[in-house]
Amino acid sequence: MPCHMTKLEAARAFERRAAARIPAADRPGFHLTPPVGWMNDPNGFCFYHGAYHLFFQYYPYDTVWGPMHWGHATSADLLHWTYLPCALAPDTDADAAGCFSGSAAPLPDGRLLLMYTGVQPAGADGRQAQMQCIAVGDGLDFEKDPQNPVIPAGLLPEGFGTADFRDPKVWRENGAYYCVAACRHAQDQGSILLFESPDARRWQFVTVLDSSRDRLGKMWECPDFFALGDTRVLLISPQEVCADENGELHPGDATAALLGRYDPVTHAFDRRKVQAVDDGLDFYAPQTALAPDGRRILIGWMQCWATTGQAPRPHPWYGRMSLPRELFLRDGRLCQRPVREIETLWQAETRLAGITVEARTALPGIRGRSLDLNVTVDADASPACRRFALRFAEGGGLFAEIRCDLALGELVFDRSRCGSRRDIPHTRRVRAVPHSGKLTLRLILDKDCAELFVNDGERVLSVLVDAPETAQGISFAAFGGPVRLDVVQHELRA
Ligand code: FRU
């Protein structure tokens, strides 16, 4: 780094040069990737001055995790992103070891507030300290507050420490600012703390909104807290989850929605239900933004910590965001649909209604790796069919497979035959029961990104598939007896 440059200027100069050398064809068509280097969690997702802004955990100089910066991109339609210069670099005493995850909120004076975790280098006890910081700017350049950290160790209640205290999600409500942040409690483990401020600078602790009580993972990361109708949703990314008897959450690092009621006067959150957000092999740390039309949009890191260490790195960038999704509640469950803007990418349509399949077969016109594919399995009209399988990314002996056991009401997403040489999880099993005799699968493919929405968003699985882009085949098979299907495919323009 030339000695006259700040860390931020150096990152901006580096990413500009390096990103210009990466051809668009080396990236997915409509999933955001970093300009160069490493990306993890979405940060600061918001609608500000007429555009969506998305920041992200970012290390421009390598394709592995390093001292965290905040990368930055904007979009008018949540599908086509324009890179803006790196927004934050770890360049003050309060964040010298990294600018960890956080969020954004437009201020009444028209500026944009960023709230993030400043990580301070390890002290004599060998542990880094994590505290909450703010920066304010015009949507391009941000100035860190000289009083950072604005939520220091001294504001933590008894039993909580700064070794794991991070990921503030800030919002404005009734003229005040609130923020939820994740913190580890000595006994209760993962917990979400609520703070309040009149001006986003002077904060005070309000309450512990919820905690694992050592049952729902060890540490909770990346909280989000918002209303969806009468329901209050607390999103968390719990670490070291042990799957429970009903198998709602998978073991390891998961994503969960805690649904309940919130009393804005007492600030009590009454959790009534726990469910998975995304059951895929590659999804973590989701965050939401409120769209101007009232939609609550969720986006996640389409990757996960368990597999990143062993991932192939064919490009000078690594990590990507999921497709943004609209959240809604149906029968008390948090469901997701791809943002409706995806329809603007629709091209050639192929419709096959009421077809019957038994032996493995390809269907005319159904193939590709940039697709919005809808398959309706008519279970009532397929009484002998026990199992149905859909293969995609098929070619050269490789494929990914979705298997639905109609009798058991179970779906398995299996990428073990995609050419991976890594000893990592390759399958995921979820409950998937036909509704009114029908099971619907919506599969969005964007090169190596696959996102499956089961039963109109009741379950979602985000998975990366290694099979090369030349593997374009899609085929269908039924076991036990024939299956009746409706298939609608739209090719997607990148
Ligand atoms: C989640 C996370 C956050 C942290 C960030 C660091 O993936 O571990 O808790 O702020 O990543 O990059």
Side-chain angles (χ1 to χ4, degrees), residues 18 20 33 52 113 121 140 143 147 227 249 255 259 263 265 271 275 295 299 306 316 321 346 352 387 391 406 451 465:
T33 52
Y52 293 97
L113 167 78
L140 197 61
E143 204 170 312
Q147 283 177 28
L249 300 186
T255 53
L259 308 182
D263 182 334
V265 178
R271 184 211 304 172
Q275 68 161 88
R295 288 177 297 165
I299 194 165
M321 291 298 159
W346 283 0
L352 304 168
R387 201 149 57 81
R391 285 187 183 170
L406 300 175
E451 285 158 283
V465 293

Side-chain angles (χ1 to χ4, degrees), residues 287-324:
Q287 186 175 93
T288 70
L290 196 57
D293 59 10
R295 288 177 297 165
R296 178 61 65 173
I297 314 273
L298 174 133
I299 194 165
W301 180 38
M302 197 168 166
Q303 218 90 48
C304 74
W305 292 109
T307 59
T308 48
Q310 306 172 52
R313 290 188 158 70
H315 305 296
W317 57 267
Y318 180 79
R320 80 278 312 283
M321 291 298 159
S322 73
L323 198 58

Side-chain angles (χ1 to χ4, degrees), residues 23 26 82 98-99 148 175 231 234 288 293 332 345 373 397 428 449 488 492:
D26 287 357
T82 304
C99 300
N148 280 338
T231 301
L234 179 58
T288 70
D293 59 10
L345 306 184
L373 180 69
R428 196 50 56 77
C449 307
V488 181
L492 295 175

Side-chain angles (χ1 to χ4, degrees), residues 153-454:
L155 290 187
L156 283 175
E158 188 69 28
F160 291 94
T162 57
D164 285 299
F165 176 34
R166 54 185 178 268
D167 311 337
K169 176 81 200 275
V170 64
W171 72 97
R172 242 178 123 236
E173 194 173 314
N174 301 328
Y177 293 84
Y178 292 92
C179 108
V180 284
C183 200
R184 191 193 288 254
H185 186 271
Q187 280 89 45
D188 293 344
Q189 308 284 0
S191 304
I192 302 303
L193 309 184
L194 177 71
F195 295 87
E196 184 179 2
S197 166
D199 56 6
R201 298 182 85 213
R202 290 167 296 147
W203 290 89
Q204 62 179 33
F205 168 73
V206 179
T207 191
V208 179
L209 272 184
D210 200 354
S211 76
S212 162
R213 292 172 210 110
D214 206 18
R215 280 201 289 276
L216 194 56
K218 296 289 182 189
M219 170 65 185
W220 289 358
E221 298 189 305
C222 301
D224 199 341
F225 193 52
F226 53 87
L228 215 51
D230 294 340
T231 301
R232 196 75 183 202
V233 182
L234 179 58
L235 292 185
I236 53 167
S237 293
Q239 296 178 311
E240 299 175 66
V241 170
C242 183
D244 61 350
E245 68 277 7
N246 56 34
E248 177 64 32
L249 300 186
H250 60 79
D253 292 352
T255 53
L258 314 182
L259 308 182
R261 294 273 179 274
Y262 175 62
D263 182 334
V265 178
T266 62
H267 300 294
F269 175 66
D270 174 19
R271 184 211 304 172
R272 306 230 170 126
K273 180 175 173 178
V274 178
Q275 68 161 88
V277 175
D278 187 309
D279 297 287
L281 294 155
D282 301 290
F283 190 85
Y284 196 62
Q287 186 175 93
T288 70
L290 196 57
D293 59 10
R295 288 177 297 165
R296 178 61 65 173
I297 314 273
L298 174 133
I299 194 165
W301 180 38
M302 197 168 166
Q303 218 90 48
C304 74
W305 292 109
T307 59
T308 48
Q310 306 172 52
R313 290 188 158 70
H315 305 296
W317 57 267
Y318 180 79
R320 80 278 312 283
M321 291 298 159
S322 73
L323 198 58
R325 298 124 186 223
E326 298 174 17
L327 296 182
F328 61 100
L329 289 165
R330 193 177 47 221
D331 301 332
R333 188 170 176 89
L334 182 70
C335 300
Q336 304 168 50
R337 282 191 195 112
V339 284
R340 61 197 68 172
E341 284 83 347
I342 193 150
E343 292 174 22
T344 64
L345 306 184
W346 283 0
Q347 288 186 306
E349 177 184 293
T350 308
R351 269 180 190 273
L352 304 168
I355 48 170
T356 301
V357 166
E358 187 158 13
R360 176 160 301 288
T361 178
L363 297 174
I366 306 295
R367 61 182 278 111
R369 289 288 285 273
S370 187
L371 295 180
D372 186 344
L373 180 69
N374 286 266
V375 178
T376 304
V377 180
D378 192 338
D380 277 357
S382 320
C385 175
R386 286 195 317 275
R387 201 149 57 81
F388 160 74
L390 160 64
R391 285 187 183 170
F392 66 96
E394 196 174 14
L398 305 177
F399 57 85
E401 188 167 65
I402 296 159
R403 292 187 289 273
C404 305
D405 190 317
L406 300 175
L408 268 183
E410 192 177 80
L411 178 147
V412 175
F413 199 123
D414 183 352
R415 62 156 176 211
S416 57
R417 299 283 300 278
C418 283
S420 168
R421 294 174 190 279
R422 297 172 288 143
D423 186 14
I424 59 171
H426 288 302
T427 59
R428 196 50 56 77
R429 188 177 298 272
V430 298
R431 216 168 149 59
V433 181
H435 290 310
S436 310
K438 302 222 158 106
L439 182 78
T440 65
L441 305 176
R442 183 175 183 186
L443 180 65
I444 310 266
L445 297 182
D446 179 11
K447 300 187 179 176
D448 60 350
C449 307
E451 285 158 283
L452 177 66
F453 298 80
V454 183

Side-chain angles (χ1 to χ4, degrees), residues 38 40-41 43 57-58 65-66 68 99-102 117 119 130 166-167 182 219-222 237 239 284-285 301 305:
W38 163 277
N40 58 290
D41 315 353
N43 295 157
Q57 290 286 279
Y58 180 41
W65 192 88
M68 281 292 104
C99 300
F100 276 18
S101 282
T117 300
V119 184
Q130 305 181 344
R166 54 185 178 268
D167 311 337
M219 170 65 185
W220 289 358
E221 298 189 305
C222 301
S237 293
Q239 296 178 311
Y284 196 62
W301 180 38
W305 292 109

